[in-house]
């Protein structure tokens, strides 16, 4: 079987949720293993508060949101040791902005927590999911034992 070419650019697509650290961590690991560049992107959907404006540069409020998001991403990447990551936030229609970014930067791999990226086969996509917490725990186990509920019978 022929060896696959290494990734040249890895994109971490963030939603500013609990998965962000895992997404950037996995993207950073894959970028380092492939000696690839790391991009970190957050897409900001327009809302009614800013008149629904899609202009990322023309609208001062949209640019302020982008700058705040970029500062947050720079902090996250710095804490994980990815000091040379390119951090960008884009305001506008999510799918359109993502397609524009992918066309301009040409990542080989996108690491995300969103299964609905709509990238198709433009690049490889790794979708991470939140870890499932086991139900119960030590307190529930102790309480069940104290109340006389043993292990489930077969």
């Amino acid at each position: 079987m022929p060896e696959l070419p290494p990734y040249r650019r890895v994109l971490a697509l963030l939603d500013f949720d609990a998965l962000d650290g895992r997404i950037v961590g996995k993207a950073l690991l894959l970028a380092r293993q492939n000696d690839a560049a790391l991009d970190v992107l957050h897409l900001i959907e327009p809302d009614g508060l800013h008149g629904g404006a899609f202009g990322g540069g023309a609208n001062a409020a949209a640019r302020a949101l982008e700058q705040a998001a970029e500062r947050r991403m720079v902090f996250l990447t710095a804490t994980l040791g990815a000091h040379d990551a390119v951090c960008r936030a884009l305001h506008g229609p999510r799918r359109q902005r993502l397609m524009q970014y992918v066309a301009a930067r040409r990542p080989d791999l996108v690491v995300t927590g969103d299964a609905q990226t709509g990238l198709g086969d433009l690049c490889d996509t790794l979708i991470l999911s939140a870890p499932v917490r086991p139900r119960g725990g030590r307190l529930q186990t102790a309480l069940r034992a104290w109340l006389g509920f043993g292990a489930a019978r077969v």
Side-chain angles (χ1 to χ4, degrees):
M1 181 173 194
E3 187 173 321
L4 295 173
Y7 295 120
R8 295 177 313 276
R9 180 172 309 281
V10 177
L11 171 62
L13 182 58
L14 304 184
D15 285 330
F16 286 170
D17 59 17
L19 283 176
D20 286 351
R22 288 186 56 217
I23 290 170
V24 173
K26 182 65 75 171
L28 177 59
L29 174 71
L30 292 166
R32 285 181 176 163
Q33 286 177 343
N34 288 274
D35 197 27
L38 175 63
D39 287 7
V40 182
L41 176 65
H42 176 65
L43 301 168
I44 304 167
E45 284 281 349
D47 61 17
L49 294 176
H50 303 109
F54 292 112
N59 187 327
R63 187 63 198 138
L65 289 171
E66 290 173 345
Q67 290 171 340
E70 288 169 1
R71 283 192 302 271
R72 182 175 175 177
M73 289 184 293
V74 166
F75 178 78
L76 175 62
T77 55
T79 59
L80 294 173
H83 302 286
D84 55 348
V86 174
C87 298
R88 288 293 316 269
L90 299 174
H91 182 269
R94 183 177 176 86
R95 181 166 167 69
Q96 178 184 345
R97 289 297 193 176
L98 178 59
M99 291 302 181
Q100 289 170 346
Y101 193 87
V102 167
R105 300 289 290 179
R106 300 200 180 277
D108 304 298
L109 173 67
V110 175
V111 181
T112 182
D114 181 10
Q116 305 297 322
T117 61
L119 290 171
D121 57 1
L122 289 175
C123 57
D124 291 344
T125 305
L126 175 62
I127 302 168
L128 301 181
S129 59
V132 178
R133 281 186 65 188
R135 293 183 133 319
R138 287 186 286 177
L139 180 59
Q140 186 177 21
T141 302
L143 184 59
R144 289 179 62 81
W146 182 74
L147 292 173
F149 298 109
R153 295 185 180 142
V154 179

